[in-house]
């Protein structure tokens, strides 16, 4: 009876999955031009359960099951966005997004500039990313760094329940194509949302764990499911007497350079933690920019912890060995602090 | 499909002929400017295929949308894109349709709902379906005309789009300009089913083959298609229509093509079917046009072309400071506000 009134005042505890769903539901309620389109988003409820129940609430016009035709339905989303709708396209996992790469790169990212600013592509594409669920090499990769290579896209990587809850609204309000990478391991993560927070920005990195009394020894720069690993590492390091800042990038394109440089200027050391492959990765980009702009602020070489350069294996011990681990982060931080 | 009634009066025949001549002469001017190195990059000319653009555009209304390929000068002109802006785009000028950023292959014009020359073969097809989806949901009563060559049917996205457009009953007119060669590969060497309309029929789409060298035949087919789509949008029973227009490209694929893949005889045979000469001689022998009228059309096109070249030559260069502008849009473009008001 009193539950409706209570729900507005009591801080809400929810999963990342539920946060994604509430964000979509809000968007559908707020704007009749918005609809969800993708494989199994309707009757099945989404491969990872994000859209469960939305077909019943909004009907097949707003929750559109598609055939398995990534390049086709992403292209339809781009055309629909150019002509006035606000589609949310779901790609089941980012490995499948390669089938739509032509549309994403050659049309969505290109047409606004190539048309001299005559057409915008206000499209949101959500996709699941990352390993850790033993799904093998064709369902477990982290390709967000690739997309962050492409001018004309915005690339978001929510690493917290709060961002999962509130990034979508900002992405839909943006006149550009925005890709949101939701990490499959995070879907079950739970958090209590601050009831005062009603929105987030999609421009800035966020300092998740700050130094004490202005002192910090190392920056852990990360995003997505490597964020909880870095927070864990920071706690362990604290008990070892090392103060770590944890910077959640949140937005992989455009990168919040200022936040990265600020953190490293405070700590003079950094470990970049990225679930993508190391070669040509977003971690490589960050390291290069630090070398270009903050070289003389560093007291130790830049360290990187990335996925091992293999197709993600199925067996549990192999997959675990291929992914960044908390122990790796702790070890690298120790090494950097000891080195001078 | 019911056959549309096309009023083939004198004025309309004049319009079709003039449109095709404008395109033919524009392309000839482009060759001249290319040889003078005023136009660079890839240049794909439409000679021989003019009947298709002229016929289809005659069947469209202002609220309709167009998606075209990298061989799109003809569609742009027939749709009403300014020849001045088009020529300025060819020459890379700021006053061009896309500020000189697109060039020959990427003409965009929001004012006429011209959603681009797309240079990825098949890349425009799902865009057209998406534009049609938006127009249908926003109740604009519009049809999207989507042009592509027979080479596109080798792409997976062709088949994906055929299925999606029919599945969701999207108001799209697909126009396959079957000019028999994808660059240098004869279609018969590339596909087991060279009647493209049959592929569309497999997707339960209404489809037919049309003589793409005859502007009247194209217009009749396009008008019937557009009217039947438009009439049925409201009751969600529209669905797309597919026209395979058999045609031939008189010139090389682009400016870097020795045409080793076809014989002079074959080109000559098709040149006898020249849509412009055919219509013109029919009109002359049926007292639909006089020598004086022909001369006047010629002179008017001359003047329009001279104007366009002068406009483009006098054009400016986009300031380098704007190089990165519109990589990310900071607001909705003019087109969006304009679309919203439709």
């Amino acid at each position: 009876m009193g539950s409706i009134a209570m729900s507005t005042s009591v801080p809400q505890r929810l999963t990342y999955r539920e946060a994604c769903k509430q964000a979509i539901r809000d968007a559908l309620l707020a704007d009749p031009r918005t609809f969800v389109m993708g494989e199994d988003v309707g009757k099945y409820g989404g491969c990872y359960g994000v859209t469960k129940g939305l077909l019943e609430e909004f009907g097949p016009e707003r929750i559109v099951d598609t055939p398995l035709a990534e390049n086709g339905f992403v292209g339809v989303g781009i055309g629909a966005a150019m002509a006035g709708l606000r589609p949310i396209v779901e790609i089941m996992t980012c490995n499948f997004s390669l089938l739509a790469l032509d549309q994403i790169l050659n049309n969505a990212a290109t047409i606004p500039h190539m048309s001299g600013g005559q057409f915008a592509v206000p499209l949101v594409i959500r996709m699941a990313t990352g390993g850790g669920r033993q799904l093998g090499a064709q369902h477990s990769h982290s390709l967000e760094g690739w997309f962050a290579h492409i001018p004309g896209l915005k690339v978001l990587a929510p690493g917290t329940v709060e961002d999962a809850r509130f990034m979508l609204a900002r992405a839909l309000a943006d006149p550009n194509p925005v890709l949101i990478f939701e990490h499959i391991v995070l879907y079950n993560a739970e958090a209590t949302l601050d009831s005062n927070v009603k929105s987030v920005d999609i421009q800035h990195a966020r300092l998740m764990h700050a130094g004490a009394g202005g002192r910090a020894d190392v920056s852990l720069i990360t995003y997505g499911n490597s964020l909880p690993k870095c927070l864990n590492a920071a706690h362990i390091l604290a008990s070892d007497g090392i103060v770590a800042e944890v910077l959640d990038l949140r937005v992989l394109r455009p990168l919040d350079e200022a936040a990265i440089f600020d953190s490293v200027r405070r700590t003079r050391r950094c470990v970049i933690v990225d679930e993508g492959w190391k070669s040509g990765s977003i971690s490589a980009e960050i390291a290069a920019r630090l070398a270009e702009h903050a070289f003389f602020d560093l007291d130790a070489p830049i360290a990187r912890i990335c996925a091992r350069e293999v197709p993600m294996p199925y067996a549990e011990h192999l997959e675990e060995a291929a992914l960044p681990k908390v122990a790796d982060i702790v070890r690298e931080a120790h090494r950097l602090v000891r080195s001078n | 499909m019911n056959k549309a009634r096309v009023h083939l009066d004198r004025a309309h025949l004049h319009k079709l002929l003039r449109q095709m001549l404008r395109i033919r002469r524009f392309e000839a001017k482009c060759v001249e400017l290319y040889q003078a190195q005023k136009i660079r990059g890839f240049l794909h000319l439409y000679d021989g295929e003019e009947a298709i653009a002229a016929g289809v555009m005659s069947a469209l209304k202002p609220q309709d949308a167009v998606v075209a390929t990298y061989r799109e000068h003809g569609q742009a002109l027939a749709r009403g894109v300014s020849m001045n802006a088009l020529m300025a785009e060819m020459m890379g000028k700021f006053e061009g349709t896309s500020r000189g950023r697109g060039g020959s292959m990427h003409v965009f014009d929001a004012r006429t709902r011209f959603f681009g020359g797309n240079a990825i073969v098949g890349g425009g097809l799902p865009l057209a379906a998406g534009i049609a989806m938006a127009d249908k949901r926003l109740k604009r009563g519009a049809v999207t005309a989507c042009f592509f060559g027979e080479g596109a049917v080798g792409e997976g996205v062709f088949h994906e789009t055929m299925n999606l457009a029919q599945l969701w009953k999207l108001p799209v007119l697909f126009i396959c300009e079957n000019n028999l060669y994808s660059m240098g590969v004869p279609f018969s060497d590339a596909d087991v089913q060279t009647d493209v309309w049959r592929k569309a029929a497999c997707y339960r789409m209404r489809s037919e083959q049309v003589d793409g060298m005859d502007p009247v035949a194209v217009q009749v087919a396009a008008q019937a298609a557009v009217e039947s789509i438009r009439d049925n949008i409201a009751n969600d029973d529209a669905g797309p229509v597919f026209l395979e227009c058999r045609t031939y490209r008189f010139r090389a694929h682009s400016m870097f093509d020795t045409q080793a893949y076809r014989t002079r005889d074959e080109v000559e045979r098709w040149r006898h079917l020249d849509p412009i000469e055919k219509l013109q001689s029919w009109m002359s022998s049926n007292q639909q046009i006089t020598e004086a009228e022909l001369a006047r059309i010629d002179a008017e096109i001359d003047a329009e072309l001279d104007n366009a070249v002068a406009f483009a030559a006098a054009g400016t260069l986009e300031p380098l400071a704007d190089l990165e502008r519109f990589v990310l849009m900071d607001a909705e473009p003019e087109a969006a506000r304009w679309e919203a008001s439709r």
Side-chain angles (χ1 to χ4, degrees), chain A residues 131-135 140 312-323:
Chain A
R133 298 269 300 267
Q134 287 190 267
L135 301 178
S140 302
M312 192 64 72
Y314 159 72
E316 188 176 17
H317 69 296
L318 294 177
E319 183 181 49
E320 197 192 323
L323 289 168

Side-chain angles (χ1 to χ4, degrees), chain A residues 61 64 67 69 71-72 75-76 78-80 83 85-86 102-103 106-107 113-120 152 175-176, chain B residues 97-99 101 106 108-110 115 118 120 123 126-127 130 134 137 140 160 164 168 323 325-329 332-333 335:
Chain A
E61 279 282 298
V64 183
N71 211 27
V76 169
I78 294 166
L85 298 180
R86 291 294 177 276
D102 168 48
Q103 287 296 325
N106 285 316
N107 283 341
H113 187 269
M114 189 166 71
S115 70
Q118 291 184 81
F119 293 98
N176 298 290
Chain B
T97 44
S98 307
R99 299 169 158 252
R101 293 169 171 202
H106 304 300
F108 287 81
D109 187 53
F115 284 81
N118 204 305
I120 305 297
L127 281 194
R137 287 179 178 231
R140 292 184 176 124
E160 294 182 17
L164 289 170
W168 292 337
L323 176 61
R325 197 170 170 206
F326 308 126
V327 168
L328 289 177
M329 305 287 286
E332 294 279 342

Side-chain angles (χ1 to χ4, degrees), chain A residues 74-154:
Chain A
V74 169
V76 169
I78 294 166
M82 287 172 74
L85 298 180
R86 291 294 177 276
I88 302 170
V89 172
E90 175 174 316
I91 296 178
M92 198 179 273
T93 93
C94 70
N95 280 73
F96 308 170
S97 74
L98 302 186
L99 292 158
L101 194 52
D102 168 48
Q103 287 296 325
I104 296 172
L105 170 54
N106 285 316
N107 283 341
T110 299
I111 285 176
H113 187 269
M114 189 166 71
S115 70
Q118 291 184 81
F119 293 98
V121 183
L123 169 72
V124 172
I125 304 177
R126 301 171 39 245
M127 47 186 130
T129 187
R133 298 269 300 267
Q134 287 190 267
L135 301 178
Q138 295 180 338
H139 287 68
S140 302
H141 289 144
S142 290
L143 302 180
E144 51 276 0
W146 279 11
F147 287 98
H149 176 65
I150 302 172
L153 300 180
K154 290 192 176 180

Side-chain angles (χ1 to χ4, degrees), chain B residues 246-323:
Chain B
R246 284 289 174 120
T247 185
Y248 200 77
R249 137 170 85 61
F250 290 170
R251 289 185 188 264
H253 168 78
S254 73
M255 301 304 281
F256 307 97
D257 174 6
T258 56
Q259 304 191 64
Y261 50 85
R262 62 185 190 180
T263 63
R264 279 175 191 278
D265 280 358
E266 181 184 295
V267 178
E268 275 316 301
R269 276 201 307 281
W270 278 92
R271 278 193 181 275
H272 283 300
L273 302 173
D274 187 327
I276 296 178
E277 281 177 21
K278 252 180 29 187
L279 182 65
Q280 192 174 310
S281 67
W282 185 89
M283 285 170 70
S284 295
S285 53
N286 288 278
Q287 291 77 49
Q288 296 294 316
I289 199 160
T290 64
E291 284 301 314
E293 285 171 327
L294 268 175
R296 192 166 66 239
I297 290 176
D298 258 350
E300 283 166 4
I301 294 174
D302 272 344
E304 190 186 11
L305 263 175
D306 287 349
N307 252 337
V309 173
F311 176 84
T316 60
L317 300 177
E318 180 169 19
L320 288 180
D322 281 352
L323 176 61

